Amino acid sequence: MSSPRSEQHGQPGITRAKYFLVLFSALVLILLFSILSIIGKGLRSIISDVRDNYVLVAEAAALIFLGELIKSQRFVVAARAKGVRLSRATAVEAHFSGLFIGMLTPAFSGAAPTVSSIIGSKEGLDPMGALSIALSAAFMDSAIPALAAIVIIITTSHWNVLVLLISIIVIMLWAVALGSPLAQALNSSISREHVRQAIKVIVDQAATLQSSLKSILSSRRSSGLMVALTVASYLVETMSVVAVLRAWGFPGVVFQGFEALMLSYVGGNFPTPGGEFGVEYSMLTILSGPAVVLWRVAYVIVAMAPAVIIGKVISSYIDYGTFVYNYYKGLLASHRP
């Protein structure tokens, strides 16, 4: 999907955006390793631990990659529920691009727009249709860990007030997103006509998104397959935590690894780039500082690897952004008296 605007101005824009993302990625990594240095007893200690256990870090990274690869196929299932035959390659590209941008944005908030822009531009989907596919996977990765974290905290000695509060907030937000009358109430309270027209478009689009997302999640076949893929990915990623625990002679504390993983997902909702601090703080409830450091290093290797396709990610944003702009410009025009 291209446009004259993207053809004329896209390349300089892509170049500037690439430089910005590279710089911002470096800043995010500095922030991350500053946090890891605190819990890992200094940068030298981190380098020493990684050097001494590089095989286990590589094993953990491979398992994390496999887990994320399994997750990517949820987009194929969600797209099929919308009558779209999404290729597995596009699903992989969208997922790992979203993972990369998610690491750079507060609470991974950039992941869903990135996924929707890539899928939308490849398949020519309307904005809400593409976003509903992206959010269906986001629902799995936030609601399931939040429920699991609540159970873990309530039934074990791993008490963590922050994780419990975030879990409750996540569940409440999804409950609102999937069935809230607040948007309609907002629309009815606006008095100025031109503002009401804009609000009506927003409300209509929100309702479209809600309906589209519900149609995916309410399908037993689609939601069942997505849950199965999600659980399978969590089991694989649990073994990545178990891999780093072996550095201290723990042969296989699988349930401990699963608990730490679920809490890390909840901590990822912390409003910092990639959920930094929130992820580490949550995992420290279960694991030692050095174990958290090794696992996070392995995770960052996987999450930042898609930086090699920054140009393709930015191109998708530019092309699909142009389409979305024209789409909503037309919608606003159609609502004028």
Side-chain angles (χ1 to χ4, degrees):
M1 182 187 301
S2 62
S3 67
R5 180 178 179 179
S6 65
E7 290 172 2
Q8 293 174 8
H9 306 291
Q11 195 58 46
I14 289 174
T15 301
R16 287 193 297 270
K18 284 172 70 174
Y19 286 138
F20 172 78
L21 278 178
V22 169
L23 176 61
F24 193 67
S25 297
L27 294 175
V28 169
L29 287 175
I30 290 172
L31 172 61
L32 174 61
F33 278 95
S34 297
I35 295 171
L36 294 181
S37 295
I38 295 173
I39 66 176
K41 300 179 181 179
L43 187 58
R44 287 186 179 180
S45 179
I46 292 175
I47 295 173
S48 177
D49 284 342
V50 173
R51 183 186 62 229
D52 294 343
N53 300 285
Y54 70 92
V55 173
L56 294 179
V57 172
E59 181 183 336
L63 288 165
I64 292 169
F65 174 79
L66 178 57
E68 297 298 334
L69 193 63
I70 293 170
K71 281 186 196 174
S72 71
Q73 298 310 297
R74 298 177 302 188
F75 296 128
V76 176
V77 177
R80 190 181 301 145
K82 302 301 298 176
V84 176
R85 295 184 64 84
L86 183 69
S87 73
R88 297 186 184 279
T90 298
V92 171
E93 179 187 338
H95 179 76
F96 281 94
S97 298
L99 186 65
F100 169 63
I101 298 298
M103 279 294 294
L104 305 181
T105 50
F108 272 86
S109 56
T114 302
V115 170
S116 62
S117 68
I118 291 175
I119 292 177
S121 63
K122 287 285 181 70
E123 301 298 332
L125 297 176
D126 66 88
M128 294 302 101
L131 186 57
S132 67
I133 292 172
L135 287 178
S136 64
F139 171 81
M140 297 289 168
D141 282 337
S142 53
I144 293 176
L147 290 171
I150 291 173
V151 173
I152 290 168
I153 290 172
I154 291 176
T155 60
T156 68
S157 59
H158 304 309
W159 185 253
N160 189 313
V161 176
L162 178 62
V163 173
L164 182 61
L165 286 175
I166 293 176
S167 298
I168 294 171
I169 290 171
V170 165
I171 292 172
M172 289 177 62
L173 287 175
W174 276 114
V176 169
L178 291 172
S180 173
L182 292 179
Q184 294 290 348
L186 174 64
N187 185 41
S188 62
S189 67
I190 302 296
S191 57
R192 293 185 179 181
E193 187 58 33
H194 65 283
V195 177
R196 283 182 60 85
Q197 291 165 7
I199 292 295
K200 187 176 189 308
V201 170
I202 295 172
V203 170
D204 289 346
Q205 289 297 290
T208 300
L209 174 61
Q210 185 182 91
S211 176
S212 185
L213 182 56
K214 278 184 175 180
S215 70
I216 296 172
L217 297 177
S218 62
S219 167
R220 289 187 179 182
R221 177 178 172 79
S222 298
S223 59
L225 283 172
M226 292 182 72
V227 168
L229 288 168
T230 301
V231 172
S233 72
Y234 291 167
L235 294 177
V236 172
E237 290 184 339
T238 292
M239 299 313 296
S240 72
V241 181
V242 174
V244 300
L245 288 176
R246 294 210 310 271
W248 291 274
F250 297 109
V253 191
V254 177
F255 192 69
Q256 185 181 13
F258 177 76
E259 290 178 327
L261 182 69
M262 290 298 94
L263 267 59
S264 77
Y265 272 91
V266 174
N269 291 290
F270 199 75
T272 53
E276 291 174 12
F277 173 77
V279 172
E280 293 79 15
Y281 176 75
S282 300
M283 296 189 81
L284 284 172
T285 306
I286 312 292
L287 307 178
S288 65
V292 172
V293 169
L294 288 187
W295 188 84
R296 280 297 269 171
V297 169
Y299 185 87
V300 168
I301 290 172
V302 176
M304 301 303 283
V308 298
I309 58 169
I310 283 179
K312 291 188 69 176
V313 176
I314 297 171
S315 293
S316 294
Y317 265 111
I318 292 175
D319 288 342
Y320 198 58
T322 302
F323 169 77
V324 171
Y325 170 78
N326 291 327
Y327 179 87
Y328 284 114
K329 184 178 179 181
L331 274 182
L332 284 170
S334 69
H335 279 77
R336 289 174 185 165

